[in-house]
Amino acid sequence: MASQKGRQAWVNLSYTRYKDGKPVKRACDVMKEFMESFTYSDCATGSMDTMSVVLNNSDSRFNKGWMPHKKDSMSAFIVTDNWKNRSKEKMCCGTFIIDQLRFSGPPGICEVGAICAPETTSFRTSERDKTWKKATLKGVSQAIADKYKLGLVFKGHDTDIGTTEQSGETDYSFLCRTAEEYGYGMKLYRNKILIYDIAEMEDAKPASIIHKYQVTGSYDWETVMSGTYTGAKIRYMGDDSKEVSCSVGKGPRWLRVSGSAASIAQAKKLAAARVNNENRGTTTISLQVRGNTNYFATSVVMLQGFNKLSGRYFIDEAEHRIDATGGYTTSLSMHKIQGRVTV
C-alpha cells in the first residue's frame, strides 16, 4: 500500500523586472530555488497589503545582475496540498510593486519588500486640492478608480457626502479617510479598489470556527473599558452659518463629535460612523494558527473555547508565512464584533 502523502505548502512566486522598457519574467520554479521565507500581510482597511520575500544570496547574484529594482513587480499564489483535506488549494495574493530592499550577511541574504499599489506612484504620493460637489461615496470612488485605471468593487448602499474638500491629500489617503468617515472600509486587491460597508461585513455569517486548541503558541486578548460609547452628539455649521446639534444612540457615555454637514441626516451618518469606529477597537485579540488559506481580512470567524472571550470576531489583518521547509502559519489580528449605534 502506498504511504499517505504528508501535508505540503509552498509559494508560486514570479518576479517581473523591466529592462529597456520591456518586461523580463523569472518563473516560479526559478524563484523557489532561492526562497528562504515568504510573508503576505492582508489588511482589511487603512493599510495597503504587503509582501516580503527573503532570498538566499550566498552567491551574490541578487546584488549583481539579478539585483531587484523599485517598481519591479512580484506575483504570488500560496498553494497547499493535503493540508486540511486531500485536495489541493490555492490562494491568490495578487501583484505587488517593489518598494523596499535590504541586504545582510553572512550568510548572504536579500530581503525584498513589496506593496499592493498601482504602478503609478501618484495614487499614494501626489498631494492635491479638489472640491467634490454634490458627491456620493461611490461616485468619488469610481472617479479615482478610473483615474488610475483600477476596477471598483463597491459593497453596500451608496451614500451622499455632499460637498467634500480634498486638501493637501493624496487620492489614496483622501478616499480611505472619506470611506472611514461614513463607516466604510477601503482596500486594494488585484488591481481593484474595494469599498465596503463595515457593518454589513460584520453581520456576515462566520466563515469558519477557531477553537482554542487550534492556537499554536500564545494569544493576546485585550479590552479597553473606558473607550466604549453608547451614543454620539455632533455639532456642525448649517447652511445659514448657525450651529446645529443632534445625536445618535443614547447615554450615559457620549462621544462628542464636531464637523461639517449639509443636513441633519448627513450629520447623523457621520456621528454614527464615528462612534462605531471608536467602539470597534475596544476588544481585540491576536493569535497564530496552522496556515489556512481560508483566513483573510474582512471575514468573520467564531472563536470557541475561550470562555467569556469567545464570540464573533472580524479579521483586521491576516499574515500568512511560509518558510523554506514548507512550514506554514497564519497570524490573525481581530476585533470583537459589538452592538452598533444606528441612525
Side-chain angles (χ1 to χ4, degrees):
M1 176 182 292
S3 60
Q4 183 177 348
K5 181 171 58 175
R7 294 195 304 265
Q8 298 179 64
W10 67 91
V11 180
N12 286 341
L13 176 79
S14 62
Y15 189 100
T16 302
R17 64 173 304 182
Y18 292 87
K19 186 175 182 180
D20 299 327
K22 297 181 180 180
V24 179
K25 188 173 181 178
R26 294 197 187 101
C28 299
D29 55 348
V30 174
M31 296 302 297
K32 186 177 181 180
E33 180 182 350
F34 301 96
M35 196 181 307
E36 297 288 337
S37 67
F38 168 88
T39 303
Y40 164 52
S41 295
D42 174 21
C43 301
T45 188
S47 299
M48 291 188 180
D49 293 355
T50 60
M51 179 190 297
S52 177
V53 182
V54 177
L55 301 165
N56 185 315
N57 193 40
S58 57
D59 61 2
S60 298
R61 71 175 59 213
F62 289 105
N63 56 318
K64 290 182 180 178
W66 282 28
M67 186 166 181
H69 296 84
K70 291 184 178 180
K71 297 187 179 180
D72 288 352
S73 65
M74 295 189 294
S75 298
F77 288 85
I78 293 176
V79 185
T80 60
D81 191 8
N82 198 35
W83 197 260
K84 299 186 294 293
N85 47 50
R86 295 192 178 185
S87 63
K88 184 179 291 186
E89 296 184 346
K90 181 186 293 186
M91 181 176 74
C92 178
C93 303
T95 300
F96 293 71
I97 305 299
I98 308 303
D99 76 334
Q100 188 176 12
L101 189 61
R102 178 175 175 266
F103 289 94
S104 62
I109 290 294
C110 172
E111 184 173 353
V112 184
I115 192 168
C116 179
E119 291 185 11
T120 172
T121 59
S122 59
F123 179 58
R124 55 190 174 96
T125 59
S126 296
E127 298 176 351
R128 66 169 179 152
D129 300 318
K130 180 178 174 63
T131 300
W132 300 82
K133 296 182 178 180
K134 297 180 179 180
T136 68
L137 180 58
K138 187 175 182 179
V140 170
S141 303
Q142 189 67 67
I144 292 177
D146 291 345
K147 179 180 178 180
Y148 297 100
K149 298 180 180 179
L150 298 169
L152 174 67
V153 177
F154 194 95
K155 294 185 177 182
H157 299 287
D158 197 5
T159 183
D160 291 326
I161 60 176
T163 298
T164 302
E165 296 290 337
Q166 180 179 353
S167 179
E169 294 175 281
T170 66
D171 287 330
Y172 170 74
S173 60
F174 167 72
L175 185 54
C176 192
R177 174 182 63 80
T178 304
E180 182 180 299
E181 285 180 350
Y182 288 87
Y184 283 71
M186 171 199 165
K187 71 171 295 171
L188 294 173
Y189 181 65
R190 300 178 68 177
N191 292 317
K192 294 182 179 68
I193 295 175
L194 170 62
I195 305 289
Y196 60 92
D197 186 325
I198 297 176
E200 287 189 10
M201 290 293 211
E202 289 183 337
D203 287 341
K205 182 180 179 181
S208 56
I209 296 173
I210 299 178
H211 198 279
K212 186 178 178 182
Y213 71 76
Q214 295 175 267
V215 176
T216 58
S218 61
Y219 65 88
D220 187 1
W221 184 93
E222 182 179 10
T223 191
V224 182
M225 301 296 184
S226 61
T228 303
Y229 297 96
T230 56
K233 294 183 177 182
I234 183 170
R235 292 183 177 182
Y236 66 97
M237 298 301 295
D239 292 337
D240 56 0
S241 298
K242 292 184 178 180
E243 188 176 75
V244 182
S245 62
C246 62
S247 63
V248 293
K250 58 184 180 180
R253 288 192 49 79
W254 294 101
L255 176 67
R256 307 288 176 175
V257 181
S258 61
S260 59
S263 65
I264 289 180
Q266 184 184 12
K268 286 187 174 182
K269 285 182 182 179
L270 291 167
R274 177 71 180 277
V275 70
N276 289 327
N277 286 340
E278 291 287 335
N279 288 343
R280 196 164 282 122
T282 56
T283 301
T284 60
I285 190 169
S286 59
L287 52 83
Q288 179 180 282
V289 294
R290 193 178 76 186
N292 192 322
T293 56
N294 291 333
Y295 296 147
F296 55 90
T298 74
S299 63
V300 175
V301 298
M302 178 68 75
L303 292 194
Q304 294 183 351
F306 291 83
N307 301 313
K308 292 186 177 181
L309 313 186
S310 299
R312 298 173 71 251
Y313 285 77
F314 181 90
I315 299 179
D316 296 304
E317 182 177 0
E319 183 181 276
H320 300 267
R321 189 178 190 279
I322 297 180
D323 60 31
T325 65
Y328 176 23
T329 58
T330 300
S331 298
L332 302 174
S333 298
M334 303 178 284
H335 70 260
K336 191 170 187 178
I337 299 172
Q338 313 279 358
R340 288 184 294 272
V341 174
T342 58
V343 177

